[in-house]
Amino acid sequence: YDPTKLTVHVRKLGLTGYDVEKKLREEFNIEVELSDMYNILCIITSGDTREDVDKLIVALERIASEQDKRYAAEVRVRLPEIPHLSLSPRSAFYADTEVIPLHAAAGRIIAEFIMVYPPGIPILLPGEVISQDNIDYIREHLEVGLPVQGPEDKTIQNVKVIVESTAIS
């Protein structure tokens, strides 16, 4: 049996996928496979019954009916700026590093990976120059509760960067 993947786009409700995932879990006891800024992904398998699918449909209908769509944000998929690679990842890995606040990291060379899951594609990888656009993108995802992976500081208040005296442009 091949599972059915159901992607539900929720942004026009004025909610993030993370918001809908949380509502489904807390209010309806339904778990989804994953969520992102704009969608939820549900997997329907041979272990699910018709009643399970109906419960999901009813829950989604209720969530949609409770939203005031007049205030829904226009769907705008934002992609982060592609950073400039200043050092090879290997050179960055072995360079002298220091930890600084994320908000002060624009223009510095990152020494660790930072990615938001989903999709799990790095926003920054060792050796890339951090831009303010990258910082803003990371913060937007943190504000809606999406998990950030890679950095030593799981709160992402601080990031590891190359000590400026060792950085090579």
Side-chain angles (χ1 to χ4, degrees), residues 1-7 31-34 40-46 48 53 56:
Y1 175 76
D2 189 26
T4 300
K5 297 170 187 83
L6 174 65
T7 302
E31 289 291 333
V32 302
E33 185 70 17
L34 62 84
I40 61 168
L41 176 67
C42 303
I43 305 289
I44 301 168
T45 70
S46 58
D48 292 303
V53 175
L56 173 63

Side-chain angles (χ1 to χ4, degrees), residues 85-101:
L85 185 63
S86 182
L87 289 173
S88 73
R90 177 181 167 78
S91 295
F93 181 81
Y94 288 111
D96 291 334
T97 63
E98 62 184 329
V99 175
I100 64 169

Side-chain angles (χ1 to χ4, degrees), residues 56-164:
L56 173 63
I57 292 168
V58 168
L60 291 171
E61 287 174 340
R62 181 158 344 131
I63 290 169
S65 70
E66 292 172 353
Q67 292 309 119
D68 188 344
K69 292 161 199 72
R70 291 177 299 168
Y71 299 105
E74 179 182 326
V75 176
R76 186 181 122 251
V77 176
R78 181 163 133 53
L79 298 174
E81 176 181 287
I82 297 174
H84 168 74
L85 185 63
S86 182
L87 289 173
S88 73
R90 177 181 167 78
S91 295
F93 181 81
Y94 288 111
D96 291 334
T97 63
E98 62 184 329
V99 175
I100 64 169
L102 175 64
H103 67 80
R108 298 294 300 271
I109 300 171
I110 191 83
E112 59 189 348
F113 286 93
I114 297 182
M115 57 194 114
V116 175
Y117 181 82
I121 299 167
I123 298 166
L124 293 165
L125 58 96
E128 291 182 328
V129 178
I130 305 166
S131 70
Q132 187 60 50
D133 183 59
N134 298 135
I135 294 169
D136 295 343
Y137 184 82
I138 292 165
R139 288 191 173 206
E140 286 174 18
H141 283 76
L142 288 170
E143 287 171 6
V144 298
L146 290 173
V148 175
Q149 298 177 340
E152 287 182 12
D153 177 5
K154 299 302 177 196
T155 67
I156 316 301
Q157 296 300 307
N158 298 298
V159 293
K160 189 175 7 169
V161 297
I162 305 301
V163 173
E164 287 187 330

